[in-house]
Amino acid sequence: MGRSSGGGGEETSPERVAAGAERVTVGYVVRPKGVKGEVKVKPLTHSVERFDELSVVVVERQGEPDRVLRIERWRPDQPGILVKFAGIDTPEAAKEYLVKGYLTICRDQVAPLPSDAFYVFDLVGCRVEDESGRDMGAVVDVLEMPSTDVFIIRRNGEEVMVPMMSSFISDLSVADRRLVLRGVEELFQ
């Protein structure tokens, strides 16, 4: 069962997409599939239905100029999705222009999350301190682990991994770009 894209959300012009300075990755193109130019995509979003609202994305590939493409349709294909882009009609074109590329959207197009959930891009760059206000560094990444996600915090050129558990988080304010931790001081020795 195929799905057309762009029907449920705000229409996005290619000019607006291309002009967007801050981009968020929503998928990674793994390989071509079939003979009509479809590609296998690993979704990097909390819900694949997110693609119902997308009509235009920017494909970013290392060492190449960004490419603005319109999504014709997408469909589930476990463990991911298949996407067909306008103008990409052969597996050869898909491989040349899309494979190993990241599908990105403007930051203001991201789907809202529940109040207790955060996007990684909102956490990266937050300053980290302990409950007494002592600087512990800054969040540089968040790793998805089997049991719990982990903050990667850089301090004085070294990286420290701290489990993202409520017992270690005293306060987290994305608006203030601040994370307050407790009970992890020994990790920073």
Side-chain angles (χ1 to χ4, degrees), residues 168-188:
F168 296 138
I169 300 171
S170 177
D171 185 44
L172 173 57
S173 172
V174 171
D176 294 334
R177 311 289 298 141
R178 181 173 163 254
L179 169 63
V180 180
L181 297 176
R182 65 174 165 248
V184 296
E185 293 78 11
E186 63 276 0
L187 296 175
F188 291 85

Side-chain angles (χ1 to χ4, degrees), residues 60-136:
E60 297 180 5
R61 289 182 13 149
Q62 186 172 4
E64 295 185 17
D66 295 348
R67 182 180 304 272
V68 178
L69 290 175
R70 182 165 303 281
I71 297 174
E72 284 185 3
R73 65 184 178 274
W74 74 274
R75 62 188 165 101
D77 186 56
Q78 297 304 322
I81 61 174
L82 290 179
V83 180
K84 171 65 175 85
F85 291 98
I88 305 293
D89 299 317
T90 66
E92 293 80 15
K95 185 175 182 179
E96 181 178 349
Y97 298 117
L98 303 175
V99 172
K100 296 185 181 177
Y102 289 92
L103 307 182
T104 66
I105 60 174
C106 295
R107 186 175 178 153
D108 64 359
Q109 290 180 281
V110 298
L113 291 174
S115 61
D116 62 342
F118 303 95
Y119 284 107
V120 171
F121 65 80
D122 282 331
L123 300 173
V124 170
C126 284
R127 69 182 190 282
V128 182
E129 54 190 55
D130 65 15
E131 291 181 304
S132 68
R134 184 175 65 105
D135 178 44
M136 299 176 85

Side-chain angles (χ1 to χ4, degrees), residues 28-90:
Y28 177 75
V29 181
V30 179
R31 62 182 169 84
K33 185 164 183 183
V35 296
K36 296 182 180 179
E38 288 184 309
V39 289
K40 179 77 169 185
V41 172
K42 176 183 177 184
L44 302 174
T45 181
H46 67 284
S47 171
V48 294
E49 284 73 26
R50 173 75 183 102
F51 284 85
D52 281 339
E53 300 171 11
L54 298 177
S55 58
V56 176
V57 296
V58 174
V59 177
E60 297 180 5
R61 289 182 13 149
Q62 186 172 4
E64 295 185 17
D66 295 348
R67 182 180 304 272
V68 178
L69 290 175
R70 182 165 303 281
I71 297 174
E72 284 185 3
R73 65 184 178 274
W74 74 274
R75 62 188 165 101
D77 186 56
Q78 297 304 322
I81 61 174
L82 290 179
V83 180
K84 171 65 175 85
F85 291 98
I88 305 293
D89 299 317
T90 66

Side-chain angles (χ1 to χ4, degrees), residues 14-34:
E15 295 77 22
R16 180 176 171 271
V17 170
E22 280 192 76
R23 311 215 46 82
V24 177
T25 302
V26 294
Y28 177 75
V29 181
V30 179
R31 62 182 169 84
K33 185 164 183 183

